[in-house]
Amino acid sequence: QVQLVESGGGLVQAGGSLRLSCAASGRIFGISDMGWYRQAPGKQRELVATSASGGSTNYKDSVKGRFTISRDNAKKMVYLQMNSLKPEDTAVYYCYARLTTGGWSTPLDDYWGQGTQVTVSS
């Protein structure tokens, strides 16, 4: 049973920082991509940042220069350092992983955490 568990969300004033963590656990053979998405009230879930296993990263334009994604493959964890937070960053942040449980020759599946609330006040 694969699970992704986020932590680190909370309340912060505009301009402040938070660091989100996500731990993947369960019967995991290998992880391809890991990342973070977010969903604000009344809006679609959107990509925030992703990190491929080879090291390439991808960021939503509005967070470039403020957020940094990193991962620890040995620990099966991914992090999101969020600096210079803005009220528009307020959302539930979801951890994401594309992984296989049966080997690289088996299909990769997408898994999601339950989310952690980030609220940025002005």
Side-chain angles (χ1 to χ4, degrees):
Q1 302 297 313
V2 175
Q3 289 191 335
L4 305 179
V5 180
E6 304 100 333
S7 62
L11 296 169
V12 65
Q13 295 185 41
S17 298
L18 286 173
R19 187 177 191 239
L20 305 183
S21 300
C22 173
S25 63
R27 189 176 177 84
I28 300 170
F29 179 84
I31 302 174
S32 178
D33 300 339
M34 299 190 80
W36 295 91
Y37 289 68
R38 69 187 182 189
Q39 188 167 24
K43 300 187 70 176
Q44 297 282 333
R45 186 176 298 186
E46 63 182 5
L47 180 147
V48 179
T50 58
S51 175
S53 60
S56 63
T57 58
N58 185 36
Y59 294 91
K60 177 179 172 64
D61 285 344
S62 63
V63 310
K64 289 180 178 178
R66 300 189 297 120
F67 293 9
T68 302
I69 188 170
S70 61
R71 61 192 286 180
D72 185 329
N73 292 322
K75 294 182 178 180
K76 299 184 180 68
M77 295 190 71
V78 63
Y79 309 90
L80 185 68
Q81 178 66 47
M82 304 185 293
N83 299 325
S84 302
L85 283 161
K86 303 175 180 180
E88 51 262 44
D89 296 318
T90 295
V92 177
Y93 283 69
Y94 295 91
C95 180
Y96 156 82
R98 172 163 284 193
L99 57 86
T100 176
T101 60
W104 291 119
S105 62
T106 63
L108 295 164
D109 293 316
D110 294 337
Y111 291 85
W112 298 89
Q114 294 188 178
T116 184
Q117 177 71 49
V118 172
T119 302
V120 184
S121 65
S122 59

